[in-house]
Amino acid sequence: DFRNEGMDRTHNPEFTQMEIYVAYKDYNWMMDFTEEMLEKICMDVLGTTKVRIGDNEVNFKRPFKRISMIDSIKEHTGLDISEMDLQALFDTCKELGVETDESMGKGKLIDEIFGEKCESSYIQPTFITDYPVEMSPLCKKHRDNPELTERFELMVNGKELANAYSELNDPIDQKERFEEQVKLSEKGDDEAMFIDHDFVRSLEYGMPPTSGMGIGIDRLCMFLTNNSS
């Protein structure tokens, strides 16, 4: 892949990833698959599920911890952001000392709070689940709460290793999400998506319920070989 989104020692613009899509499965199935696969990889490569990463010992033995993003933020800040509007989130970021700018929508603000206050504390493999809908324009809405999506990211040693979701296969919902992204782009959010008319048209022809996931291969290699870049 090549993504021109800035770089540091754990983000290379040119990188390798494994992507998988499975029809008639959801993100719950994909979590089970992911932890089973990573446990097996560790055993095959190292003969143990315990991996030394810098100063930490990380154990890839399943099952991995699972916690929703909103519960994670509540656990680390004591704040419940689930009912907050845009202004309340800006005020919360200011209170927590999290940097913001006027281009940020609700999703970006929540992402910043999580990144600053929660992410680095997840050393052992942990699935962060049920992201707010504003953060996830390609994800299916949560079956029990339309404000959330059926998405997870796997955190290991304070970094994201995998990103996955129940794919959004409703063309009307998808077009509306893209239109929201355009509004964010017009406000100055340079990571907002454009309207992909070909993608929406494809969904109109039909797509089964599907779960998809990407795993950063470079980062996985860094973890298993105890390299910092």
Side-chain angles (χ1 to χ4, degrees):
D1 288 341
F2 184 87
R3 292 185 190 167
N4 193 13
E5 295 176 354
M7 61 189 288
D8 58 41
R9 69 194 299 182
T10 58
H11 291 86
N12 208 21
E14 192 169 8
F15 62 98
T16 310
Q17 69 168 330
M18 181 202 78
E19 284 207 0
I20 176 174
Y21 293 84
V22 187
Y24 306 108
K25 302 295 183 189
D26 63 11
Y27 78 140
N28 292 308
W29 181 92
M30 193 63 82
M31 278 187 267
D32 294 341
F33 171 82
T34 302
E35 60 188 14
E36 180 182 352
M37 178 173 61
L38 289 171
E39 183 183 69
K40 176 173 169 33
I41 288 169
C42 287
M43 290 303 297
D44 287 354
V45 174
L46 302 171
T48 174
T49 59
K50 293 179 179 176
V51 180
R52 172 63 56 182
I53 307 175
D55 296 330
N56 300 317
E57 183 179 85
V58 175
N59 192 346
F60 282 93
K61 184 160 184 60
R62 57 181 167 150
F64 302 165
K65 179 181 175 178
R66 303 179 184 191
I67 184 172
S68 74
M69 174 169 269
I70 285 169
D71 284 344
S72 173
I73 289 173
K74 194 186 295 182
E75 192 175 273
H76 288 92
T77 68
L79 298 170
D80 183 354
I81 60 152
S82 59
E83 303 295 326
M84 289 186 184
D85 62 13
L86 185 63
Q87 188 55 53
L89 284 168
F90 268 116
D91 294 342
T92 297
C93 286
K94 190 173 182 182
E95 182 186 328
L96 295 172
V98 174
E99 283 188 31
T100 63
D101 65 58
E102 290 304 310
S103 74
M104 292 180 175
K106 283 179 68 175
K108 200 73 180 279
L109 293 170
I110 293 167
D111 194 27
E112 290 293 318
I113 293 169
F114 178 79
E116 285 281 321
K117 299 299 177 184
C118 311
E119 188 172 280
S120 62
S121 65
Y122 292 108
I123 302 303
Q124 300 306 317
T126 304
F127 292 115
I128 306 296
T129 68
D130 304 343
Y131 283 48
V133 71
E134 296 87 358
M135 292 178 67
S136 312
L138 300 173
C139 302
K140 182 171 282 205
K141 285 180 180 173
H142 197 283
R143 65 198 74 184
D144 299 323
N145 183 348
E147 297 294 308
L148 304 176
T149 58
E150 298 197 347
R151 175 183 178 186
F152 72 79
E153 288 186 314
L154 175 61
M155 298 296 163
V156 179
N157 202 47
K159 301 283 181 198
E160 174 206 335
L161 179 60
N163 183 23
Y165 28 89
S166 302
E167 300 287 334
L168 177 52
N169 61 341
D170 177 340
I172 296 169
D173 189 357
Q174 184 63 82
K175 187 164 186 285
E176 289 170 353
R177 303 268 200 103
F178 279 147
E179 287 165 350
E180 288 299 314
Q181 289 286 299
V182 169
K183 289 177 188 172
L184 290 172
S185 181
E186 288 168 350
K187 282 177 64 180
D189 184 347
D190 57 6
E191 289 185 3
M193 299 178 77
F194 59 94
I195 299 181
D196 188 336
H197 293 287
D198 290 334
F199 185 56
V200 173
R201 191 178 304 115
S202 299
L203 293 182
E204 287 171 352
Y205 285 107
M207 174 181 171
T210 298
S211 183
M213 177 186 63
I215 283 190
I217 298 298
D218 309 57
R219 196 167 284 184
L220 181 59
C221 290
M222 286 162 55
F223 288 159
L224 296 191
T225 60
N226 195 9
N227 278 290
S228 59
S229 71

